[in-house]
Amino acid sequence: MRCLGIETSCDETALAIVENGKLVDAVMTTQAEVHALFGGVVPELASREHYRLIARMFDALMERCNLSYQDIDVVSVARGPGLLGSLLVGVGFAKGLVLAGGQRLIGVNHLHAHLLAAGLEQKLQFPALGLLVSGGHTHLYLVESPREFRLIGRTLDDAAGEAFDKVAKMLNLPYPGGRFIDVLGNMVEPDAKMFPRPYVDNDNLDFSFSGLKTAVGSWLNSHPSVALQFPLAEEQADSLLCERRLPENVAEDLPLVCASFNAAVADTLYIKTKRALGQLRSEGCEVRSVIVAGGVAANSRIRSSIAGLADEAGLVLHLPSFGLCTDNGAMIAYTGWLLAVQGLCHGLDLETMPRGRVIPDDYRMYSF
Ligand code: KG4
Ligand code: ZN
């Protein structure tokens, strides 16, 4: 079974083909440059970019795979959560293909797709404890199968990625700033006392990162010379990310702030994930693996801290490679394929679900 995946929920236009559970090929265009000027994603611009790109990227993918649209069996598309206008472009395109070619349509939950993406590289062991850390979400799930997700913890305010991006903005680092904080923070050891581990002195599984962001802001107010005085030029940003080269005239404490903030986020995620595991085990749930997914799962300090937790707890670790952490079409194609092999589908009345709305489990059984 050959499944096309379409991802347009935020600022990446991405398509991929998965055949019998394996990735065949993928194309992706990031709009980061379009939005960088504004320091965050501008929804109207995002949907226009998706609309401009999607058909030509589909053609490019078909050409690379030497396929035509009649060779596709299933069209899966991210139906939410995300930016409504952006989702509508992907879902509209998917419906157009299905109308023309008669394929099966499947709307995929973007968050579930992040968590299942690791299955493209490793056989997923269920039940799994899933930590989803992205620009818009910080969620803990009990994942019992590719269709059964129980949300057991979530952020009450900022998502982890949002905290990275906002702190990066305070430091005058480029958008999206998570990677820059990661690279700078790896240059020195963190100061564990510099920033708090927020919202851990309780017994719940929720997160709150806004206080940590405020703590970094207050520290920077009393150390105003630490933030970059001018935004980095493109070459400086590239050489920082690719060659780990620090630009000239950077304040000595900039890497220390990044390392200490990054460690505070990593420790908080570790504490709550470990607590979730303890609670699930005390309920008699025999968790077999831990999945870390979403853009922030690309963070080196977070990857090694959760890897340590999996090791201590005797769990299989599912940590997708970098390209499968951030938004991508492969995870949508793979999730669509997993659902399709269970005989599931949607009709042309498939609805898009913007952020904040619960995504229903409204699949139908496919009749051949
Ligand atoms: O999952 P994703 O690509 O998009 C959403 O669905 O939100 O996540 C994007 C987020 C951004 O906040 C970005 O700064 C963050 O992932 N990110 C990182 C790293 N790479 C991407 N955060 C920390 N360290 C990284 N290496
Ligand atoms: Zn995402």
Side-chain angles (χ1 to χ4, degrees):
M1 187 184 287
R2 191 178 283 134
C3 181
L4 168 71
I6 303 174
E7 160 59 39
T8 62
S9 66
C10 190
D11 59 344
E12 259 97 30
T13 318
L15 297 100
I17 299 277
V18 162
E19 190 170 351
N20 300 331
K22 301 270 173 267
L23 179 64
V24 176
D25 208 346
V27 288
M28 208 246 301
T29 307
T30 174
Q31 305 176 2
E33 265 180 34
V34 175
H35 303 286
L37 192 62
F38 305 94
V41 178
V42 182
E44 176 67 23
L45 291 183
S47 40
R48 288 187 204 191
E49 277 297 289
H50 289 305
Y51 191 70
R52 188 175 70 79
L53 291 165
I54 194 159
R56 64 179 82 166
M57 288 177 61
F58 172 74
D59 286 344
L61 179 65
M62 292 296 101
E63 200 178 316
R64 271 165 56 159
C65 298
N66 202 15
L67 295 173
S68 90
Y69 73 94
Q70 288 100 334
D71 300 318
I72 296 167
D73 304 301
V74 180
V75 176
S76 68
V77 58
R79 68 179 302 196
L83 304 171
L84 186 59
S86 294
L87 291 166
L88 285 170
V89 175
V91 171
F93 190 78
K95 288 183 180 176
L97 281 177
V98 168
L99 268 174
Q103 297 93 345
R104 195 190 314 189
L105 176 68
I106 298 194
V108 165
N109 181 324
H110 174 92
L111 305 181
H112 296 181
H114 267 302
L115 286 160
L116 295 171
L120 277 166
E121 298 173 326
Q122 257 177 305
K123 187 168 167 29
L124 296 177
Q125 307 288 323
F126 298 111
L129 173 58
L131 172 65
L132 173 66
V133 271
S134 70
H137 298 87
T138 305
H139 283 179
L140 273 168
Y141 289 93
L142 172 65
V143 189
E144 291 185 277
S145 77
R147 197 180 165 183
E148 293 166 286
F149 293 74
R150 173 151 66 99
L151 184 63
I152 54 174
R154 60 186 305 164
T155 181
L156 304 175
D157 41 56
D158 290 354
E162 207 173 341
F164 270 98
D165 294 340
K166 287 179 177 168
V167 165
K169 198 168 178 178
M170 292 179 209
L171 294 169
N172 227 344
L173 292 166
Y175 172 85
R179 285 171 69 200
F180 292 90
I181 293 188
D182 190 359
V183 168
L184 284 161
N186 271 324
M187 294 177 175
V188 293
E189 283 303 309
D191 174 349
K193 298 213 169 62
M194 198 166 185
F195 302 121
R197 274 63 188 144
Y199 202 62
V200 292
D201 295 329
N202 50 46
D203 58 3
N204 68 47
L205 303 179
D206 293 329
F207 301 90
S208 167
F209 288 109
S210 69
L212 174 59
K213 179 190 66 187
T214 310
V216 178
S218 314
W219 191 92
L220 286 172
N221 282 341
S222 47
H223 302 80
S225 59
V226 173
L228 289 177
Q229 302 304 305
F230 299 99
L232 293 182
E234 211 176 310
E235 315 79 69
Q236 290 175 308
D238 286 349
S239 85
L240 176 57
L241 287 181
C242 306
E243 294 148 39
R244 309 288 189 251
R245 192 178 312 137
L246 209 54
E248 279 169 30
N249 303 323
V250 161
E252 202 187 324
D253 280 346
L254 180 67
L256 179 65
V257 176
C258 293
S260 306
F261 162 75
N262 201 335
V265 177
D267 289 353
T268 306
L269 295 173
Y270 175 93
I271 292 167
K272 294 276 173 152
T273 309
K274 186 171 175 177
R275 185 177 298 168
L277 181 64
Q279 290 189 5
L280 289 168
R281 282 182 166 167
S282 70
E283 286 169 20
C285 176
E286 291 194 16
V287 176
R288 295 176 65 197
S289 67
V290 59
I291 305 174
V292 194
V296 182
N299 184 271
S300 46
R301 217 176 270 276
I302 293 169
R303 288 172 88 83
S304 59
S305 122
I306 302 290
L309 172 63
D311 199 36
E312 288 157 27
L315 296 176
V316 174
L317 175 69
H318 296 303
L319 202 51
S321 53
F322 294 114
L324 288 177
C325 286
T326 44
D327 288 349
N328 63 86
M331 67 183 194
I332 305 296
Y334 180 62
T335 305
W337 176 81
L338 286 171
L339 296 169
V341 292
Q342 291 184 33
L344 303 172
C345 70
H346 279 115
L348 282 173
D349 56 353
L350 169 71
E351 277 188 88
T352 46
M353 294 285 160
R355 202 172 155 190
R357 283 194 43 202
V358 176
I359 299 189
D361 184 322
D362 55 358
Y363 303 103
R364 300 178 190 172
M365 289 311 288
Y366 185 69
S367 48
F368 294 89

